[in-house]
Amino acid sequence: MLAIHRNVVIYDQQDYLKSRDRSTAIQLPGRYGLVYIFRTFNSVSYALVMESTRPVQGGDIVQNP
């Protein structure tokens, strides 16, 4: 059983309205689901998404809960 995370970027709204380049960005890991790995091979693994509040996308982080 592993947790699915996606980095969420939050900008300070007052600075963001002035300039996107100078705005401070905060990255928060957002856990949004659980996945169960049930079959593994050398180059691929099969998993079953047990719970999720948003669609799973490529590039999402999967790690121990």
Side-chain angles (χ1 to χ4, degrees):
M1 196 65 115
L2 298 172
I4 307 169
H5 297 271
R6 182 177 304 155
N7 284 337
V8 178
V9 178
I10 298 175
Y11 293 99
D12 185 13
Q13 187 175 9
Q14 292 176 348
D15 291 339
Y16 186 77
L17 294 175
K18 294 176 187 174
S19 172
R20 247 188 288 180
D21 298 330
R22 292 190 334 224
S23 178
T24 57
I26 302 169
Q27 289 194 352
L28 302 173
R31 177 182 159 186
Y32 68 90
L34 293 173
V35 65
Y36 176 72
I37 309 293
F38 65 89
R39 185 86 166 132
T40 60
F41 299 98
N42 289 335
S43 60
V44 70
S45 297
Y46 291 116
L48 179 64
V49 177
M50 303 296 289
E51 164 184 321
S52 178
T53 57
R54 62 174 86 163
V56 179
Q57 296 179 349
D60 288 346
I61 301 165
V62 180
Q63 60 186 8
N64 289 331

